[in-house]
Amino acid sequence: MRLATWNVNSIRSRIDRVAAFLDRQNIDVLAIQETKCRDDQFPYERFDELGYEVAHLGINQWNGVAIASRIGLADVEFAFPNQPGFDKDAGESLISTPVVESRAIGATCGDIRVWSLYVPNGRAIDDPHYAYKLEWLAALRDNAAGWLAADPAAKIALVGDWNIAPTDDDVWSVEFFTGKTHTSAPERDAFNAILDTGFADIMRPYAPGPGVYTYWDYTQLRFPRKEGMRIDFILGSPALAAAATDAGVDREERKGKGPSDHAPVIAEFTDLVS
């Protein structure tokens, strides 16, 4: 089974690229982030033509997550339990009148429980959105631990755009990101706390070392200069990680006309529904 995750930065703008990618890479399940559309605007028909069922969560032109599967799609959840919301007018009291954003969707695809996640950006260290990001990750960590405690043999994939580069090897310049989001100690601690529950970074054993990135800003010629970040991940539960046989980044999708600023991450598993 081949599982991919991709922040497409607008599904309507890039549906042709997504369709070609699914065919070229023979993808069974695709988790999508930043669809940037409402549910009624999502191109379901195109996926149906390709043989994929889709679950999508989109409230407006921001955020948006989806799961497309050709091996089954069941038990859809449109947020994880106790997922924090964000109220831009609430100041320090982020939970006073929270709006739960379209940032998490879960579904069972074959043998795997897949969560497509778009972790809050954080914006700046002193921004309320940063505190929201840490609350969001803490709630996800609690759920991840609970899912594994309830069923240690569960095959669970937490995938998507995490907006965190967990190590110095995951950024093109440590100095450039000093004092900024994505590399701060609290964010990295929050990411590692999820790994501490038993989840594993599926791709890292197959793509070790620095220079393996999944995101390149559109500005300053970041992509041709190889100035990127690794912020998109497939994290697998112990049972799922044990079934992994390969993983990597499809950099070809960051090239050409009208690409997303992210490239897809792909993992392959054996002994699962194919």
Side-chain angles (χ1 to χ4, degrees):
M1 192 274 268
R2 289 173 65 78
L3 167 67
T5 181
W6 192 2
N7 179 323
V8 297
N9 193 10
S10 177
I11 186 63
R12 290 179 293 170
S13 298
R14 298 189 169 84
I15 182 58
D16 289 341
R17 292 190 70 125
V18 171
F21 164 76
L22 290 170
D23 180 64
R24 178 170 62 85
Q25 288 285 7
N26 192 28
I27 300 300
D28 295 300
V29 179
L30 174 64
I32 309 170
Q33 303 84 45
E34 257 198 300
T35 60
K36 291 186 175 180
C37 67
R38 302 187 308 269
D39 288 342
D40 64 311
Q41 297 172 315
F42 190 91
Y44 295 100
E45 297 83 0
R46 189 67 179 277
F47 283 90
D48 184 63
E49 291 170 0
L50 296 168
Y52 291 83
E53 298 177 82
V54 176
H56 175 256
L57 175 63
I59 299 171
N60 49 37
Q61 73 272 30
W62 308 111
N63 309 318
V65 285
I67 298 173
S69 171
R70 64 181 185 186
I71 59 170
L73 190 74
D75 303 322
V76 176
E77 291 183 77
F78 293 104
F80 54 78
N82 301 313
Q83 180 178 318
F86 181 70
D87 184 351
K88 63 183 177 60
D89 299 317
E92 295 182 359
S93 301
L94 298 179
I95 61 172
S96 61
T97 53
V99 176
V100 176
E101 299 177 303
S102 48
R103 292 185 175 275
I105 187 169
T108 299
C109 306
D111 283 352
I112 301 178
R113 185 66 178 169
V114 178
W115 281 94
S116 179
L117 307 168
Y118 182 38
V119 176
N121 179 283
R123 299 176 184 168
I125 300 295
D126 59 353
D127 192 290
H129 209 258
Y130 180 81
Y132 164 54
K133 180 179 189 174
L134 296 179
E135 284 188 36
W136 203 96
L137 288 163
L140 177 61
R141 182 266 169 207
D142 290 346
N143 277 281
W147 294 329
L148 289 184
D151 184 2
K155 299 182 180 73
I156 306 170
L158 306 178
V159 311
D161 177 359
W162 292 75
N163 273 312
I164 300 171
T167 75
D168 288 349
D169 280 349
D170 297 317
V171 294
W172 66 271
S173 169
V174 174
E175 292 74 22
F176 179 85
F177 289 100
T178 299
K180 300 178 181 178
T181 61
H182 292 59
T183 62
S184 70
E187 290 168 286
R188 288 179 167 181
D189 288 347
F191 185 90
N192 287 326
I194 294 174
L195 297 182
D196 288 343
T197 68
F199 282 81
D201 178 355
I202 297 296
M203 193 185 78
R204 209 37 158 169
Y206 302 97
V212 179
Y213 305 134
T214 65
Y215 167 84
W216 301 260
D217 195 283
Y218 288 128
T219 64
Q220 305 295 318
L221 298 174
R222 294 295 186 207
F223 184 67
R225 291 175 183 267
K226 300 181 179 180
E227 296 175 349
M229 307 175 70
R230 190 171 78 105
I231 58 175
D232 302 84
F233 296 89
I234 295 175
L235 302 189
S237 62
L240 183 60
T245 56
D246 196 14
V249 181
D250 185 354
R251 293 182 76 257
E252 294 300 310
E253 289 299 337
R254 184 58 176 83
K255 301 176 182 179
K257 182 180 180 180
S260 170
D261 44 4
H262 294 251
V265 176
I266 306 168
E268 188 161 352
F269 303 93
T270 59
D271 301 322
L272 300 173
V273 172
S274 58

